[in-house]
Structure formats: C-alpha cells, structure tokens
Amino acid sequence: MKQLEVLRNKEDNQIAVAYNGINLDNYDYLTVDEFVKEVESVDMWSDIDDEVYAKALEEYDLDYSSYDDPDTMWSDFLKAAENDR
C-alpha cells in the first residue's frame, strides 16, 4: 500500500504534513488506507487542515486549490487512489 507524505503524530494522533525542522521520530507516515479512514471518521471537512488534503492530492497529481466542492475533491482522490492499486 502506498504511503503518503502525510504524517500522524505518535502522541496525539493529529495528522499533519512535514515541515522544515520537524522531528520525524515523533511521526508515522500514513498509508492511503489509513488516510482514507482518518478523513472518513471526521465530522467536517475542516477538521483536517487544508494543507494535509493538498499534500495527499498532490501524490496523485490533483490540485487541491482547483476544487470548490470537497465532495468532488474527495471522490477524485478516491478514484485516483483506487486506480493506483
């Protein structure tokens, strides 16, 4: 299963993207399946930072900023991830 450039904090389970100076010892990379479960478990799209969605979509050459509708964005992401299996 493909790993994304999306991280989960080992202490508080928050997801994030890497940044300059981050201590990667405190994080685990998420697989696509783990990321999908995380997104589908939240109550609102905004419970996850935009930069996390942008980084995940980037993995499949999708441009987060080109989406107005989060449902369409998520559908496109799921299709791209499925096609990558």
Side-chain angles (χ1 to χ4, degrees):
M1 176 56 51
K2 179 176 182 166
Q3 274 189 331
L4 298 175
E5 292 293 318
V6 174
L7 307 167
R8 179 189 315 274
N9 186 300
K10 291 177 182 177
E11 277 188 32
D12 62 12
N13 289 324
Q14 293 295 312
I15 59 174
V17 295
Y19 54 88
N20 194 15
I22 191 173
N23 183 351
L24 291 175
D25 291 340
N26 297 329
Y27 293 85
D28 291 320
Y29 285 95
L30 295 178
T31 65
V32 172
D33 286 345
E34 290 168 331
F35 180 67
V36 168
K37 285 179 187 176
E38 186 72 33
V39 171
E40 292 184 350
S41 73
V42 298
D43 293 326
M44 298 174 49
W45 291 111
S46 60
D47 289 346
I48 296 175
D49 290 335
D50 292 348
E51 64 192 14
V52 172
Y53 291 117
K55 184 54 101 173
L57 267 67
E58 187 179 288
E59 297 281 328
Y60 294 102
D61 297 322
L62 299 170
D63 180 13
Y64 176 76
S65 65
S66 70
Y67 290 94
D68 293 328
D69 177 21
D71 292 321
T72 302
M73 176 268 308
W74 189 240
S75 177
D76 287 355
F77 175 83
L78 292 175
K79 286 177 195 170
E82 184 65 33
N83 289 335
D84 192 39
R85 291 183 181 184

